[in-house]
């Protein structure tokens, strides 16, 4: 990447990270001034990358789904060619992020704040359809995929519902879900 | 209940509901003045019921877990004496609340805000232990209970992760989880 493009990408990243922190703390109504200050850039510098708050929030939502998809891709075991390899990577990517209760709480606050922004629902719906399509060719029964992925999502709520995640309980849930991706305990008959 | 006690209970309820709405919107740092205004009571009236913001936030956290426990108890089918009746009620209580994306988003924002308040973790941990004990005598394998309850919890995140909950998908997940409480598709072998 030429130096100027690299700088552009770096500033964009800095602004998105600052926006994630401030929106998680203050909600989607946070001003561009506050985000610019948190990012350590001028407001005109920020506006050079994102034309408006709406555009920044939509880019942030897209960045969140892209980052998670990249984490799942990175968690795919290249030596694993059995059915369920993508679901296994999904479970691993989620549980890898569950050690830090503060980070999860911030992530959920950010997601809840973004969910109220017009246009974000469409980004999430498109992403959900892409996951559904990807899981269709992963070789597991759709009911099994549904239960495993919902249970993995639900595990992140222990921070909010159980007063923090218990490492032993997380490990037990993770192993149980991974065993379900290997077709063990076939619950669909 | 004598009239004075009834008034006291009613004001307490009004303040807790107002606190829930304002904390969901503005976080756990919201002032007692803002909560009193939202509740339509004087600040001294509020302080008569809750001595401090900390005490109000702890009461709110306790109220949240008590309300959910009451919803689950109300969802228990009195004619159902089979193993898994409590887990079935848990699934029904969760899915009954999932129609309204705004309410779920508010509930998650409130839970995330409360999770940062000192003392709330202990309330949630005690509640989690009570659920674990109750499920122990419900007659299902603990792994099955774990997967079903986590997947039910995770279903509420469709609002945040999938751009809103899809009624057909919710119904499919609900039916699948209820069938799992009846021991169908034994996934633990």
């Amino acid at each position: 990447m030429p130096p100027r493009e690299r700088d552009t990408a770096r500033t964009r990243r800095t602004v998105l990270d600052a926006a994630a922190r401030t929106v998680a703390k203050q909600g989607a109504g946070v001003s561009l001034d506050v985000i610019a200050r948190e990012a350590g850039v001028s407001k005109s510098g920020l506006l050079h990358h994102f034309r408006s708050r709406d555009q920044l929030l939509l880019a942030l939502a897209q960045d969140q789904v892209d980052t998670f998809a990249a984490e799942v891709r990175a968690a795919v075991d290249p030596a694993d060619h059995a059915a369920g390899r993508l679901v296994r990577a999904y479970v691993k990517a989620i549980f890898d992020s569950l050690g830090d209760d503060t980070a999860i709480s911030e992530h959920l606050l950010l997601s809840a704040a973004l969910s109220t922004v017009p246009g974000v629902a469409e980004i999430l719906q498109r992403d959900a359809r892409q996951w559904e399509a990807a899981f269709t060719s992963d070789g597991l029964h759709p009911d099994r995929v549904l239960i495993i992925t919902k249970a993995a999502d639900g595990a992140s709520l222990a921070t909010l519902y159980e007063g923090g995640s218990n490492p032993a309980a997380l490990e037990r849930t993770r192993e149980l879900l991974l065993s379900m991706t290997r077709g063990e305990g076939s619950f669909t008959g």
Side-chain angles (χ1 to χ4, degrees), chain A:
Chain A
M1 208 186 277
R4 179 167 304 185
E5 281 180 38
R6 200 173 51 217
D7 286 352
T8 298
R10 198 182 289 149
T11 306
R12 190 184 148 85
R13 183 73 264 156
T14 303
V15 172
L16 285 172
D17 290 344
R21 289 192 299 276
T22 50
V23 171
K25 268 198 211 96
Q26 302 184 34
V30 67
S31 73
L32 284 181
D33 291 295
V34 169
I35 296 172
R37 203 176 317 132
E38 172 80 13
V41 302
S42 65
K43 187 164 171 189
S44 66
L46 188 154
L47 287 168
H48 176 71
H49 291 270
F50 304 98
R51 282 188 311 266
S52 64
R53 191 174 67 186
D54 279 359
Q55 210 215 5
L56 171 54
L57 294 175
L58 292 177
L60 182 55
Q62 186 64 53
D63 183 61
Q64 292 287 111
V65 303
D66 290 346
T67 300
F68 179 65
E71 285 167 4
V72 175
R73 275 196 302 276
V76 170
D77 176 355
D80 178 359
H81 300 289
R85 71 200 290 257
L86 184 63
V87 182
R88 272 188 288 288
Y90 184 99
V91 170
K92 286 175 185 169
I94 291 214
F95 280 80
D96 280 354
S97 74
L98 294 191
D100 180 346
D101 286 339
T102 309
I104 299 163
S105 191
E106 187 177 300
H107 170 72
L108 289 167
L109 282 166
L110 173 59
S111 302
L114 287 176
S115 75
T116 64
V117 174
V120 166
E122 287 69 24
I123 290 172
L124 299 177
Q125 285 159 8
R126 190 166 57 233
D127 180 64
R129 283 194 298 274
Q130 284 170 352
W131 280 109
E132 206 176 328
F135 286 138
T136 299
S137 47
D138 196 40
L140 295 188
H141 190 288
D143 287 349
R144 183 177 289 269
V145 174
L146 180 67
I147 297 300
I148 295 170
T149 54
K150 290 294 176 201
D153 290 349
S156 68
L157 288 170
T159 308
L160 306 196
Y161 291 170
E162 296 167 21
S165 44
N166 167 339
L170 277 184
E171 184 57 24
R172 178 180 156 221
T173 311
R174 182 182 188 275
E175 286 309 308
L176 191 53
L177 292 175
L178 288 175
S179 79
M180 287 174 72
T181 70
R182 291 187 290 266
E184 288 164 27
S186 139
F187 65 86
T188 50

